Amino acid sequence: MKLNLLLFILILTGCQKSQPKEIDTAFYFWKSNFQLLENEKFTLKENGVNKLYIKFFDISWNEGKHTFQKDAPIRFSEKLPDSCQIIPVVFITNQTLKNIPQNEVDSLANFILKGISKLSPKVYQAIQIDCDWTLSTKQKYFSLLKTLQKSDLHLSATIRLHQVKFYEKTGIPPVERGMLMCYNMSDWRSSITLNSIYSPKLLKQYTERLAQYPLPLDVVMPIFHWTVVFRNNRFLYFVNNLSAKTLNENENFVQIADKQQFTVKNDAQFQGISIRKGDIFRCEDAPFEDILKGSRNILEKIPNQKLTFALYHLDSQSISYYSHEQINELLHINKTLY
């Protein structure tokens, strides 16, 4: 009798479907001038995107003046979409946290809040801080977040994959929510890295304990692409939005077997850049099927029921790298989860 009852409970539990998550869709906007092109506007409208995470400025450390400073403030050349809630984002360099005295952390918090308020052309209820903090800067960074929490704004912070996997050491930021960044997974400076933007294998390794992370999480996935250039096995520079297809069609490049890497045949000029014989161009992207599968796995692991699913970033060339149908499938991923 007890055995039959146990079997009945197991069967009933197995037949129950998971409750669908409530997912808001969003884009990041990471350029210094807010002025949308037609396909960017179309993508927002067509997919019912209701949030924009907009980088307002960077905070860096001025060595000469021994103080923090605001860099690359955004300029709004056109009106923000009425349909979208905006979340101002501020990027803080870890070097700033290393150098700032503890007694100036509150001043930095006020500097950030005033800077956002001065720049924003629209009312906002939430802000996000983006910083790849370390063990040595954790205390000051968390102190900064606690001060920002005293405002009337909802506060979130970006979370790198290593900060999820090793959260007992890296700590949990004192914010309402974390934004899990599922990209920039490897060292792009290394010549042996194959794809620093996205790796399904690394994503799985870093998120095995995701369900245990003690903070509600949102998710952002990559749709950008770039090419990393090396000379004599040393990192030289990035070329944004340069694809393997473009290099394949140019006579100055020869593809290295079975890799999205190319070697330069002769000294030449390419897209206004001086290239030398032997330079290595490593093309990196996030293949659609990989990010679709990774997104599903991540969303199924995250325990919180309500979350935002964002794409990085709202850029004409990034969007055009995928079809309209692929962008739509990513932004409406909740329809295929259950």
Side-chain angles (χ1 to χ4, degrees), residues 255-270:
Q255 187 168 6
I256 299 173
D258 300 325
K259 296 181 179 179
Q260 288 203 123
Q261 295 185 17
F262 298 78
T263 185
V264 176
K265 293 196 296 183
N266 303 292
D267 293 357
Q269 288 289 316
F270 171 71

Side-chain angles (χ1 to χ4, degrees), residues 228-243:
V228 192
V229 183
F230 295 87
R231 182 171 293 164
N232 299 322
N233 285 327
R234 292 187 176 182
F235 168 75
L236 197 58
Y237 51 75
F238 284 107
V239 184
N240 284 319
N241 298 314
L242 178 60
S243 67

Side-chain angles (χ1 to χ4, degrees), residues 209-249:
R209 304 170 59 217
L210 187 59
Q212 301 171 28
Y213 192 73
L215 185 70
L217 287 173
D218 300 310
V219 182
V220 54
M221 301 295 289
I223 58 167
F224 64 96
H225 61 285
W226 61 31
T227 292
V228 192
V229 183
F230 295 87
R231 182 171 293 164
N232 299 322
N233 285 327
R234 292 187 176 182
F235 168 75
L236 197 58
Y237 51 75
F238 284 107
V239 184
N240 284 319
N241 298 314
L242 178 60
S243 67
K245 181 177 181 294
T246 300
L247 296 185
N248 255 321
E249 295 170 350

Side-chain angles (χ1 to χ4, degrees), residues 104 106 115 129 225 254 264-265:
E104 292 184 20
D106 286 357
I129 304 299
H225 61 285
V254 176
V264 176
K265 293 196 296 183

